[in-house]
Amino acid sequence: MMKSTAKRQVCVLLPNKRRLDCTVESKSRGRDVLDKVLEQLDISGLLIFGLATLQDNEYLFIDLEQTLAKCLRKSWRSGSEKSLSILFLRVQYYLQSGRLIQSRGELQLYYAALRQKVLRSLSRQQEAVFFQLAARALQAERGDLEIQDPQHKQYFLPEDYFPSWLIKRRGRDYLLQHCPKLHEDLRGMTQREAVLDFVKLSNTVEDVPVTVYRMRRGKKELKKSILFGVAVHGVCLYQDVEGKRCLLHELAWSDVDQVTFQGRRFEICAVGSLCLPKLEFYSPSALHSALVLKHLRDSHRFTISVRNALSHVRQMEETQATRLYREVYICDTTLLRQRLQRLTSSMTDSSTEPETRAFWMNSEGEGWFLCQGKNVALQI
């Protein structure tokens, strides 16, 4: 008589604060959990999301092809059928345009994730953008502003639409007075267009479309003062100075010559034309280093895979903006939308990634991948 496979309970927390409970086998992979999430959400696929664990107050994306026993380690191995493991559905790849997302369900999840990041943003120098973002969020969630009485300005809570520092700086009354005017200017905008506009505008906020990992500047330094950001266009390096984020370096993918790590030591070499010294930091662990570099490599591959689709999106937006001849506008837009659907359906195909040719890591954690035709190596 064959012994039945042990079961485990996994709770997946979504960006919209919803939770999904999944029952999986003890030998299941991260991919199996994601498949169950897709089934419950009734979505065919998630293009830009990954599953992450929370370790030392930091989210780390798991390898979906590895078993959950390796990803969750102690909590999984010591668990029983009644124990609960927690994973987070997080944005793994940020987009320059929400029109790249064909699934309405995924677009709503992406919007929810950006809403939360906007509320936590510390970009105090971009105050005006937050008013525009709040207006678009109100249009997306409440539709056209209905002015019925002088008290209409109190139809929303500032805490739901503005970062706490902005509320403290301006005061609730100021926000309640001025935000409705911006909301009213968007009358007639559909929910989808308001969401797409929010996505596009949130890209201009410095600390929103980026995943940040904390590292130490020196081996013996106690505080993790270096913020290593994986962004749409490449790598951003910040330093935390008394709670304020100061940009040290911003490197496009084409600016990165080599990324290596050995144990906790993480090094970045820029191309020679930038005349930058080798940048050296220390991550919490060798595993942390490996997961950060894997995220960096996957982000580079994803950026390459969406280039053609993004080009068509921009062409479509330009066509809609000009509207010189209505007949041509309708025809061109229809063809562009059909082309965009074909491109987005194949964005994860490796054949669309000519510049990211290989990635390799052995059991000892040694490996490399090619970035922009350059050898980007890693060692543990």
Side-chain angles (χ1 to χ4, degrees):
M1 184 175 179
M2 294 183 64
K3 186 177 180 181
S4 61
T5 305
K7 302 291 184 180
R8 292 285 192 275
Q9 299 298 318
V10 178
C11 171
V12 181
L13 300 180
L14 307 186
N16 57 9
K17 300 182 180 180
R18 180 183 171 188
R19 60 172 284 174
L20 300 179
D21 294 315
C22 309
T23 301
V24 297
E25 297 179 356
S26 59
K27 295 183 179 181
S28 294
R29 302 171 303 158
R31 177 71 60 188
D32 299 321
V33 176
L34 189 61
D35 288 342
K36 289 184 176 294
V37 170
L38 294 174
E39 183 180 350
Q40 292 190 49
L41 292 176
D42 194 21
I43 298 177
S44 59
L46 289 172
L47 180 70
I48 58 175
F49 286 89
L51 293 175
T53 59
L54 183 61
Q55 300 180 19
D56 296 327
N57 234 12
E58 187 169 279
Y59 295 98
L60 293 173
F61 290 102
I62 67 172
D63 186 342
L64 296 178
E65 304 309 322
Q66 285 193 345
T67 62
L68 293 171
K70 289 184 178 180
C71 299
L72 299 176
R73 304 208 170 208
K74 293 182 180 179
S75 64
W76 188 263
R77 294 173 184 172
S78 61
S80 64
E81 291 189 17
K82 294 184 179 180
S83 63
L84 187 66
S85 298
I86 299 177
L87 289 172
F88 300 83
L89 189 70
R90 304 274 299 180
V91 177
Q92 194 165 5
Y93 316 117
Y94 288 95
L95 297 170
Q96 297 180 56
S97 174
R99 297 183 191 276
L100 291 171
I101 303 176
Q102 296 296 303
S103 166
R104 182 177 181 275
E106 185 172 13
L107 180 59
Q108 289 297 323
L109 286 173
Y110 188 45
Y111 168 74
L114 291 176
R115 284 275 281 115
Q116 294 303 312
K117 291 210 70 175
V118 166
L119 293 181
R120 296 192 300 269
S121 173
L122 298 176
S123 297
R124 292 176 170 83
Q125 73 281 7
Q126 296 180 272
E127 181 178 309
V129 179
F130 292 102
F131 280 89
Q132 297 293 336
L133 285 168
R136 281 149 181 78
L138 287 168
Q139 183 69 17
E141 297 164 14
R142 297 178 176 269
D144 291 342
L145 175 61
E146 298 295 337
I147 303 177
Q148 298 178 346
D149 58 73
Q151 300 300 318
H152 75 275
K153 66 179 182 180
Q154 298 183 14
Y155 67 101
F156 71 96
L157 294 175
E159 291 80 5
D160 293 336
Y161 294 90
F162 291 93
S164 58
W165 59 264
L166 185 50
I167 299 175
K168 184 177 180 181
R169 176 187 290 180
R170 292 295 181 179
R172 299 179 83 258
D173 291 341
Y174 182 91
L175 304 181
L176 289 169
Q177 177 184 355
H178 292 281
C179 192
K181 297 177 181 177
L182 296 174
H183 181 191
E184 189 175 5
D185 289 340
L186 302 178
R187 181 175 297 276
M189 181 180 284
T190 65
Q191 181 196 39
R192 175 176 169 79
E193 288 302 320
V195 168
L196 291 173
D197 224 24
F198 184 96
V199 171
K200 185 176 182 179
L201 195 58
S202 66
N203 260 341
T204 65
V205 182
E206 184 183 41
D207 59 355
V208 169
V210 58
T211 301
V212 174
Y213 300 98
R214 288 190 171 272
M215 298 187 183
R216 295 177 174 86
R217 180 176 285 278
K219 188 174 183 179
K220 297 182 179 180
E221 187 176 280
L222 297 178
K223 184 180 179 181
K224 300 175 186 177
S225 60
I226 296 299
L227 306 178
F228 182 93
V230 181
V232 176
H233 300 290
V235 179
C236 300
L237 297 170
Y238 307 88
Q239 183 165 12
D240 187 350
V241 181
E242 297 180 353
K244 295 182 179 181
R245 185 176 296 185
C246 301
L247 181 64
L248 297 176
H249 302 286
E250 189 171 8
L251 303 175
W253 295 118
S254 57
D255 294 332
V256 178
D257 184 50
Q258 189 179 66
V259 180
T260 64
F261 68 87
Q262 184 174 8
R264 295 189 301 115
R265 189 174 69 228
F266 202 95
E267 297 179 349
I268 304 175
C269 294
V271 295
S273 60
L274 294 181
C275 300
L276 286 177
K278 182 183 295 185
L279 305 173
E280 181 178 297
F281 313 108
Y282 289 84
S283 70
S285 66
L287 176 62
H288 185 278
S289 298
L291 291 177
V292 170
L293 190 57
K294 183 179 185 304
H295 185 198
L296 189 69
R297 161 257 185 177
D298 291 344
S299 295
H300 175 252
R301 291 177 59 191
F302 182 81
T303 300
I304 293 172
S305 71
V306 302
R307 286 184 308 184
N308 291 338
L310 183 61
S311 175
H312 278 76
V313 164
R314 288 170 175 166
Q315 186 180 352
M316 186 167 58
E317 290 175 341
E318 290 173 0
T319 303
Q320 291 176 337
T322 55
R323 302 191 181 189
L324 294 177
Y325 300 100
R326 185 167 181 80
E327 293 82 2
V328 175
Y329 156 68
I330 293 174
C331 178
D332 285 350
T333 303
T334 301
L335 291 174
L336 286 170
R337 288 188 186 280
Q338 292 173 352
R339 175 60 174 159
L340 176 60
Q341 289 177 351
R342 290 195 296 271
L343 286 169
T344 53
S345 66
S346 61
M347 279 195 293
T348 56
D349 188 347
S350 60
S351 63
T352 62
E353 302 165 1
E355 295 183 28
T356 302
R357 299 191 180 91
F359 177 80
W360 169 80
M361 183 184 291
N362 64 16
S363 59
E364 283 73 37
E366 299 175 339
W368 49 268
F369 74 88
L370 300 180
C371 175
Q372 297 286 39
K374 303 180 182 65
N375 185 8
V376 181
L378 55 110
Q379 299 176 345
I380 295 182

